[in-house]
């Protein structure tokens, strides 16, 4: 069994390192610091941590003011509240101003689990990627989360970083090749390619192994940066395989699947399949049960692959 | 201080507001004229700023949270020398830096982009916290409309300002009593404003927002209160200085026509 770690845990860990690297890094939270994992930073750097209470609009408005005063700001709460409740504050006070705020939102997607539909967001990538200039990142494992956070903090401008609650297997031992704005091919294959993001990268790797048994070679791309999208890598995969599947723990409306199909429909149309949340709310349950019921598992990627090969 | 000089600058700013909104054919003269005297005192008497270096370290900051007061902000910055006064007459036109609501990336001296109500107040909390982290003695001033108090974000921000005891923050309410659809009390009651801010941990001062001496004294008091933010409730007149605009909700978002402009300019005087 590979080492596992939730991406939110990796976020909490790398914040301590980044607090040391950047004397002007300030972290804000909305009464969820033990869940978003900003708690350790708050203890290590109490003068650079502000708990804004259960008030997400002001959490992001205050972040903008700090950033416009020269701070690098990482502001965390659950993804549903960050991108849903505070959307227009993020749009106007952070996006429009270009404030150097990193919206590091945890508990995205179905793997929130037992808290149920009110807390499971499938809309956040769609919302964030429509804001001009917003960088959108959805790491697949702990190590890449830490590396991407280093690059996100080195980059000047607004970023949305989507993090998860549930533990996921480590995919990367070495993070040298991880570059913000570039996808990573984590499994080679020439029959089909799956472009996955977040926790679905691991599912795609499992799908790769299942299909290999059946003589099908599935390329697996970790598209950790959704905006700006690595179009070159998408087009290469489309040209070198017989079809593209996208896989995301997000609505198939407006997320990675939409981004990829927009590029391909304009520049190199190919057959596509979309794995993700099918225009429906979630419900309470264990993460694995929910992934099965809502069709966000390796088997669902395999099913799409076999359909495209028919 | 020279009150006569401040009065003269105020007349110039009022003239600029009328000329710019007339030229644009749209905009918000009513709420710009109601806050003109407050902005005049802030920019010509109170704040430590330098038009030559708009981003000067350790400067005081002003945030126009009622972003529709943009004409007043643009005109006071021009009067203070941040840019040429004639430029402001491109207000609201294509390719102008003087957007309908302030864009901080385009206009020197504008600390953040506003227009969506409540957000400037929220950003000012971050600015005040940043000065605290850096050990700056600078102050942040933020101007809110009274109708703006209906936004939930205002009270999230007030709670945070009180919680963190931001004594380097002065909130000013431009209390003219009117909003787009009519009187505050008919649309959505905002009073009592003083008791609300007191309850959120503010030192509250009530002044006549057109009495320059009272504005100066209120700002002075706010600097001497330790451990809590100050809220100055400035009773104002929407459209102040132009007889036919005064206390008329209809002049919230309407520009004067040629004939109205002529009459208005003769009343406010000044130079632009």
């Amino acid at each position: 069994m590979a080492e596992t770690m939730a991406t939110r845990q990796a976020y909490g860990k790398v914040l301590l390192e980044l607090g040391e690297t950047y004397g002007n890094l300030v972290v804000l939270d909305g009464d969820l610091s033990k869940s978003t994992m900003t708690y350790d930073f708050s203890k290590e750097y109490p003068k650079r941590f502000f708990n804004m209470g259960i008030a997400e609009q002001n959490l992001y408005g205050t972040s903008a003011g700090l950033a416009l005063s020269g701070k690098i700001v990482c502001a965390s709460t659950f993804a549903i509240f960050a991108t849903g409740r505070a959307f227009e504050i993020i749009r106007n006070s952070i996006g429009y101003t270009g404030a150097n705020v990193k919206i590091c939102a945890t508990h995205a997607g179905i793997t929130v689990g037992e808290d149920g539909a009110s807390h499971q967001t499938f809309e956040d990538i769609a919302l964030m990627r429509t804001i001009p200039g917003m960088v959108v990142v959805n790491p697949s494992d702990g190590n890449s989360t830490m590396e991407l956070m280093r690059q996100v903090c080195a980059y000047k401008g607004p970023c949305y970083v989507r993090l998860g609650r549930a533990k996921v297997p480590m995919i990367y031992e070495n993070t040298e090749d991880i570059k913000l704005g570039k996808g990573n091919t984590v499994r080679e294959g020439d029959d089909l390619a799956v472009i996955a993001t977040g926790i679905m990268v691991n599912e795609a790797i499992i799908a790769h192994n299942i299909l290999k048994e059946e003589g099908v070679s599935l390329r697996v791309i970790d598209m950790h940066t959704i905006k700006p999208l690595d179009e070159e890598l998408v087009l290469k995969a489309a040209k070198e395989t017989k079809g593209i599947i996208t896989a995301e723990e997000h609505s198939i409306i407006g997320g990675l699947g939409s981004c990829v199909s927009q590029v391909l429909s304009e520049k190199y149309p190919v057959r596509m399949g979309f794995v993700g949340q099918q225009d429906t709310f979630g419900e309470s349950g264990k993460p694995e049960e929910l992934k099965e019921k809502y069709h966000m598992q390796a088997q669902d990627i395999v099913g799409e692959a076999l359909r495209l090969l028919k | 201080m020279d009150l006569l000089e401040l009065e003269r600058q105020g007349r110039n700013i009022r003239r600029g507001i009328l000329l710019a909104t007339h030229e644009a054919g749209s905009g918000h003269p009513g709420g710009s004229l109601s806050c003109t005297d407050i902005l005049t005192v802030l920019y010509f008497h109170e704040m430590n700023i330098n038009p030559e270096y708009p981003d000067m370290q350790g400067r005081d900051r002003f945030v126009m949270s009622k972003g529709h007061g943009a004409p007043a902000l643009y005109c006071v910055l021009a009067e203070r020398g941040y840019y040429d006064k004639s430029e402001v007459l491109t207000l609201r036109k294509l390719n102008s830096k003087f957007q309908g609501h302030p864009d901080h990336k385009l206009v020197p001296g504008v600390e953040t982009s506003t227009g969506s109500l409540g957000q400037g107040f929220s950003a000012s909390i971050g600015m005040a916290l940043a000065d605290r982290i850096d050990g700056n003695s600078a102050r942040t001033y933020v101007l809110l409309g009274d109708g703006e108090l209906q936004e939930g974000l205002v009270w999230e921000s007030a709670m945070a300002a009180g919680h963190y005891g931001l004594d380097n923050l002065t909130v000013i309410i431009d209390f003219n009593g009117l909003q787009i659809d009519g009187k505050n009390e008919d649309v959505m009651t905002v009073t009592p404003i003083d008791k609300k801010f007191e309850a959120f941990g503010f030192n509250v001062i009530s002044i006549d927002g057109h009495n320059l001496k009272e504005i100066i004294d209120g700002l002075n008091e706010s600097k001497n209160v330790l451990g809590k933010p100050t809220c100055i409730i400035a009773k104002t007149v929407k459209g102040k200085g132009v007889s036919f605009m005064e206390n008329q909700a209809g002049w919230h978002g309407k520009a004067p026509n040629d004939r109205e402009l002529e009459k208005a300019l003769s009343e406010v005087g000044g130079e632009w």
Side-chain angles (χ1 to χ4, degrees):
Chain A
M1 184 77 184
E3 187 194 346
T4 63
M5 185 185 225
T7 52
R8 64 178 168 135
Q9 291 175 301
Y11 166 63
K13 196 172 156 193
V14 77
L15 273 184
L16 294 177
E17 171 196 319
L18 292 165
E20 171 109 30
T21 310
Y22 299 102
N24 62 335
L25 177 73
V26 177
V27 175
L28 274 65
D29 206 297
D31 192 41
L32 289 167
S33 64
K34 287 178 184 164
S35 299
T36 62
M37 301 293 172
T38 62
Y39 181 77
D40 289 347
F41 184 96
S42 78
K43 293 294 141 197
E44 187 73 20
Y45 303 100
K47 287 186 181 149
R48 290 193 271 143
F49 176 85
F50 298 100
N51 200 327
M52 302 311 291
I54 310 165
E56 293 78 15
Q57 299 182 54
N58 190 43
L59 169 64
Y60 290 103
T62 298
S63 297
L66 280 157
L68 294 170
S69 306
K71 305 301 176 195
I72 302 170
V73 183
C74 289
S76 292
T77 179
F78 289 178
I80 182 70
F81 309 130
T83 65
R85 195 174 196 116
F87 174 76
E88 198 249 357
I89 286 89
I90 292 174
R91 192 258 190 198
N92 274 324
S93 286
I94 296 174
Y96 184 41
T97 65
N100 197 13
V101 177
K102 319 306 174 188
I103 301 147
C104 301
T106 67
H107 294 63
I110 199 84
T111 50
V112 165
E114 294 82 348
D115 277 351
S118 62
H119 284 51
Q120 296 160 344
T121 179
F122 307 108
E123 308 83 10
D124 54 318
I125 292 173
L127 287 164
M128 290 297 105
R129 81 180 182 93
T130 56
I131 297 174
M134 182 69 73
V135 170
V136 179
V137 184
N138 186 21
S140 59
D141 78 345
N143 285 338
S144 63
T145 298
M146 290 195 273
E147 180 53 28
L148 286 163
M149 275 305 300
R150 290 181 195 110
Q151 295 183 31
V152 156
C153 285
Y155 166 85
K156 196 160 189 275
C159 298
Y160 175 62
V161 182
R162 181 188 218 236
L163 303 164
R165 170 178 180 243
K167 288 189 172 178
V168 285
M170 214 59 96
I171 290 165
Y172 297 94
E173 276 179 37
N174 187 329
T175 55
E176 256 174 38
D177 293 334
I178 292 184
K179 300 276 179 285
L180 189 63
K182 296 284 173 200
N184 289 78
T185 304
V186 293
R187 293 292 185 275
E188 297 294 342
D190 295 323
D191 291 327
L192 292 166
V194 54
I195 301 175
T197 191
I199 64 156
M200 294 307 289
V201 176
N202 183 58
E203 296 297 327
I205 291 170
I206 298 169
H208 168 95
N209 295 338
I210 295 170
L211 285 167
K212 193 194 269 178
E213 300 289 308
E214 312 213 4
V216 176
S217 88
L218 178 71
R219 182 178 304 186
V220 179
I221 292 170
D222 174 6
M223 197 59 85
H224 46 73
T225 310
I226 292 164
K227 186 184 175 187
L229 187 70
D230 187 348
E231 291 192 12
E232 202 182 324
L233 193 64
V234 171
L235 288 168
K236 187 167 178 284
K239 286 171 185 169
E240 292 176 357
T241 67
K242 298 186 196 73
I244 300 283
I245 299 155
T246 58
E248 58 197 311
E249 191 195 8
H250 182 276
S251 174
I252 57 165
I253 301 169
L256 176 66
S258 296
C259 298
V260 169
S261 65
Q262 188 169 1
V263 171
L264 293 179
S265 61
E266 184 184 345
K267 294 183 176 162
Y268 197 84
V270 294
R271 294 196 71 194
M272 283 193 70
F274 301 90
V275 173
Q277 185 78 354
Q278 304 287 323
D279 197 19
T280 180
F281 292 103
E283 64 180 286
S284 291
K286 291 195 171 65
E288 285 305 317
E289 294 170 346
L290 292 164
K291 279 165 67 184
E292 184 181 359
K293 177 165 178 178
Y294 290 92
H295 304 294
M296 284 179 278
Q297 281 188 318
Q299 275 305 337
D300 305 298
I301 297 170
V302 169
E304 279 302 295
L306 297 176
R307 183 181 70 81
L308 289 183
L309 286 174
K310 263 184 200 161
Chain B
M1 91 211 55
D2 186 344
L3 290 180
L4 284 177
E5 180 62 8
L6 288 173
E7 269 176 36
R8 187 186 68 79
Q9 284 147 345
R11 279 195 298 277
N12 291 348
I13 292 160
R14 285 197 160 87
R15 188 175 195 86
I17 291 166
L18 292 163
L19 286 169
T21 52
H22 168 264
E23 185 68 25
S26 68
H28 298 88
S32 293
L33 294 168
S34 71
C35 66
T36 296
D37 298 313
I38 297 162
L39 266 62
T40 305
V41 172
L42 281 169
Y43 278 90
F44 287 92
H45 177 78
E46 187 63 35
M47 293 201 296
N48 172 31
I49 46 172
N50 186 344
E52 302 284 318
Y53 303 99
D55 300 327
M56 177 180 75
Q57 287 289 316
R59 69 188 179 279
D60 290 335
R61 289 187 174 88
F62 172 75
V63 175
M64 183 65 120
S65 196
K66 47 170 280 184
H68 54 281
L73 179 59
Y74 298 153
C75 290
V76 76
L77 287 168
E79 182 74 18
R80 189 70 174 79
Y82 281 79
Y83 38 78
D84 197 86
K85 287 164 94 166
S86 63
E87 285 188 68
V88 183
L89 300 183
T90 63
L91 174 71
R92 289 177 163 253
K93 293 190 172 156
L94 191 64
N95 301 322
S96 170
K97 60 186 173 193
F98 300 101
Q99 295 291 296
H101 296 84
D103 182 335
H104 93 109
K105 287 190 286 195
L106 298 178
V107 185
V110 171
E111 298 288 355
T112 186
S113 306
T114 52
S116 178
L117 296 174
Q119 297 191 30
F121 187 9
S122 187
S124 77
I125 307 293
M127 292 174 188
L129 286 172
D131 279 331
R132 174 178 288 184
I133 294 170
D134 294 340
N136 287 334
S137 58
R139 293 192 70 77
T140 299
Y141 299 89
V142 57
L143 183 77
L144 279 74
D146 47 10
E148 184 172 6
L149 300 178
Q150 293 158 2
E151 286 284 1
L153 176 54
V154 166
W155 303 105
E156 291 189 9
S157 306
M159 194 179 290
H163 176 80
Y164 285 108
L166 294 177
D167 53 15
N168 57 351
L169 177 72
T170 301
V171 179
I172 306 164
I173 312 295
D174 181 2
F175 184 22
N176 61 38
L178 296 173
Q179 56 191 107
I180 296 178
D181 275 351
K183 295 179 184 170
N184 300 151
E185 63 206 52
D186 293 334
V187 178
M188 182 55 65
T189 303
V190 297
T191 52
I193 299 172
D194 53 352
K195 290 193 176 66
K196 285 192 180 78
F197 277 92
E198 274 163 17
F200 281 92
F202 281 65
N203 168 55
V204 178
I205 305 169
S206 292
I207 62 163
D208 172 348
H210 300 302
N211 182 318
L212 300 173
K213 180 75 170 52
E214 286 193 28
I215 300 169
I216 290 166
D217 289 347
L219 292 170
N220 270 338
E221 184 186 327
S222 79
K223 283 188 290 196
N224 295 322
V225 175
L226 296 178
K228 52 165 74 174
T230 287
C231 173
I232 299 177
I233 303 168
K235 188 76 195 75
T236 57
V237 173
K238 198 154 190 161
K240 175 71 177 179
V242 178
S243 58
F244 58 90
M245 290 186 180
E246 288 191 358
N247 287 317
Q248 299 298 317
W251 285 100
H252 173 89
K254 186 174 78 163
N257 63 27
D258 293 350
R259 193 175 44 78
E260 289 159 343
L261 177 71
E262 199 183 331
K263 182 163 167 33
L265 292 179
S266 74
E267 290 182 18
V268 301
E271 291 173 16
W272 195 258

